[in-house]
Amino acid sequence: METLLNVPQGGFQLQRLPYRKNEKLKAWDAADEYLLNHVYEQVDLTEESHVLILNDKFGALVCGLHAFNPVAITDSWLSQQATRSNIASNNLSGEDVILKNSLDWPKQTFDLVLIKIPKTLALLEDQIIRLQAVITENTIIIAAGMIKAMSANVWKLLEKYLGQTKPSLAKKKARLIFVETNTSLQKSIKSPYPVYYQLEHTEYKICNHANVFSRDSLDIGTRFLLQHLPSNKQTRKIVDLGCGNGIVGLMLAEANPTSHLYFVDESYMAIASAKESFSDAFPEIKADFYVADGLTNFEAETVDLIVCNPPFHQQNTVGNQIAISMFKQSYRVLKKGGELRVIGNRHLGYHIDLRRIFGNCIEVAANKKFVIWKVIK
Ligand SMILES: C[S@@+](CC[C@H](N)C(=O)[O-])C[C@H]1O[C@@H](n2cnc3c(N)ncnc32)[C@H](O)[C@@H]1O
């Protein structure tokens, strides 16, 4: 796979994360190239310019605009790690770049704001509303993305909160959107996120920041999983892997009252949501919350139970690689005799990979759409 991004700012070696042998996908897209070319040719930047980059996937934009010491905000831990590692492998100084997460915005104002359109429209809305506090009438705002990711709602949100928009020509299926910044629009509007709902048949109030899976109501797959959670009175170490808003871990804590819960997700907003949902439900119980790539931070053979509703995409990239990597990590981290319980859409066929990795696989429950499997180490 091609790893050298050639743009007017220079040539940059870029790798995706998680790192995979025989990676077939590049660590940047045509929208990144278009944006970097446009900024180089059309935007007057000086050493004093303040540049903000939103949702850079693997650091292509940060590396390209490194000379301006940009601030970069993302909700993805993997994106942040990839950016760090690409900065280092191109011998750029990491100290000049400020990497922030989606709930930790800078207080200063910016001269140039570049927005890569994220997969989740709610995240875009949250970011655009937060953006109002860090722009001035003179801020240049450019959004960029692959045309297939630019629904009419993307344009509507930009126009509602930031100003009139103008499209660029399409290039390699990518487009830029130029915003005529208008700071008099909607100034006093606060982000509607996080949003809350009450988990059915319980008193639990579930917190959902903008980028959280099924943020408005209980997902039907998750609902099915909640009906088939293991319960045990023994003290055990339990991981809610890919926890989103933390519902699964919360109900595991209820069904396993003496166990210790670990919540893991690569989204900062997911972990913030899970933390709030859990501490609201069980203020007196301690749990651990990790923003991380799956179980990479866990020691081998230390966990009794892992429950997982795996993601079927990493941002805009679809595939079951993340699920398989989570199954392999689970095998390493589980104690002998420990259990991994997984829910998946019937057509994803996770049982084939589970059986290959664990050597066993039992169907716990199934309905028309979903199957729940249990494997034992
Ligand atoms: C299908 S959602 C499940 C959310 C929640 N457990 C539920 O059932 O409602 C999958 C979750 O996995 C998270 N995720 C994706 N890639 C991950 C990774 N590499 N490590 C940890 N979590 C990841 C996503 O952010 C998302 O919250």
Side-chain angles (χ1 to χ4, degrees), residues 78 213 222 240 242-244 248 265-267 292-294 309-311 322 326:
L78 278 163
F213 171 76
T222 310
D240 178 355
C243 63
V248 173
D265 206 291
E266 79 95 31
S267 150
D293 174 19
N309 178 6
I322 309 170
M326 286 178 162

Side-chain angles (χ1 to χ4, degrees), residues 164-176:
Q164 290 293 306
T165 56
K166 247 185 11 217
S168 72
L169 294 173
K171 251 189 211 169
K172 294 198 213 159
K173 300 189 181 156
R175 202 187 284 291
L176 307 182

Side-chain angles (χ1 to χ4, degrees), residues 122-157:
L123 176 61
L124 181 66
E125 180 174 21
D126 184 75
Q127 291 179 330
I128 287 178
I129 295 174
R130 289 170 189 266
L131 206 48
Q132 292 176 332
V134 299
I135 56 172
T136 69
E137 206 63 40
N138 298 323
T139 304
I140 297 169
I141 304 175
I142 309 170
M146 301 309 289
I147 291 169
K148 63 174 190 256
M150 286 183 175
S151 67
N153 285 331
V154 167
W155 301 79
K156 277 191 203 149
L157 281 176

